[in-house]
Amino acid sequence: NALMNQYAAGGFPRSQSRSLRHGTHQVSVRGQDAEGNWGPVFPMNLVVDKVAPVLVSVTGSQNPTTGVVTLTAPLPVNELGGFAAAEFWLGTTDPGVGKGTSVPFAVVGGNIVATVPLAGLPSGASRFNLPVRDAAGNWSNAVNTTDTVRPR
């Protein structure tokens, strides 16, 4: 099987995973040593994630002591593989997929919590937009909230 041979040779080509449908696929793998001897075949699950997380809402709260705005969004119910990135931008113009300002985030108590530093942000009411990227590289929709940035 060509797929198995390519995997055993050191990698699963991304081009082959693109043709697979979303979901779990059982594949068989085996290894080959330096002398050309093949090991036993092992079945394993290959999970193909082609579905972007769907965010439904976000709230913002400013902490003047720490100088950050915390953006909190409930975890998407359609995402099981974890998250790799979060970003934000201000206003109504989306800078493009993956082109916002990267911010630290954590999953806390059923929420994605992103921390936006206030340094350099304009004072006054601002629309904060938050999308996240899952571990498979799919970007969510952006959700937004308006919060008032107060000077420190």
Side-chain angles (χ1 to χ4, degrees):
N1 164 326
L3 179 63
M4 182 169 47
N5 290 338
Q6 287 181 5
Y7 182 87
F12 185 83
R14 199 170 186 86
S15 60
Q16 288 200 294
S17 68
R18 287 187 184 115
S19 66
L20 296 174
R21 71 185 190 290
H22 176 80
T24 302
H25 304 269
Q26 187 166 34
V27 296
S28 297
V29 296
R30 65 180 178 167
Q32 186 179 37
D33 65 20
E35 286 78 41
N37 301 308
W38 285 97
V41 174
F42 293 97
M44 64 179 291
N45 289 331
L46 172 67
V47 178
V48 176
D49 180 354
K50 294 184 177 184
V51 176
V54 177
L55 298 178
V56 295
S57 64
V58 65
T59 58
S61 63
Q62 180 177 339
N63 185 330
T65 305
T66 60
V68 299
V69 169
T70 301
L71 300 176
T72 304
L75 282 175
V77 295
N78 71 324
E79 184 56 48
L80 303 175
F83 297 93
E87 65 180 30
F88 89 101
W89 69 88
L90 297 178
T92 58
T93 303
D94 184 339
V97 176
K99 295 183 179 177
T101 301
S102 180
V103 290
F105 73 96
V107 175
V108 180
N111 294 302
I112 298 169
V113 179
T115 306
V116 178
L118 293 174
L121 296 183
S123 294
S126 291
R127 176 178 156 162
F128 288 81
N129 301 277
L130 174 73
V132 295
R133 188 182 75 219
D134 68 16
N138 303 304
W139 280 98
S140 75
N141 57 304
V143 288
N144 65 75
T145 186
T146 299
D147 201 16
T148 301
V149 176
R150 294 171 190 85
R152 288 183 56 180

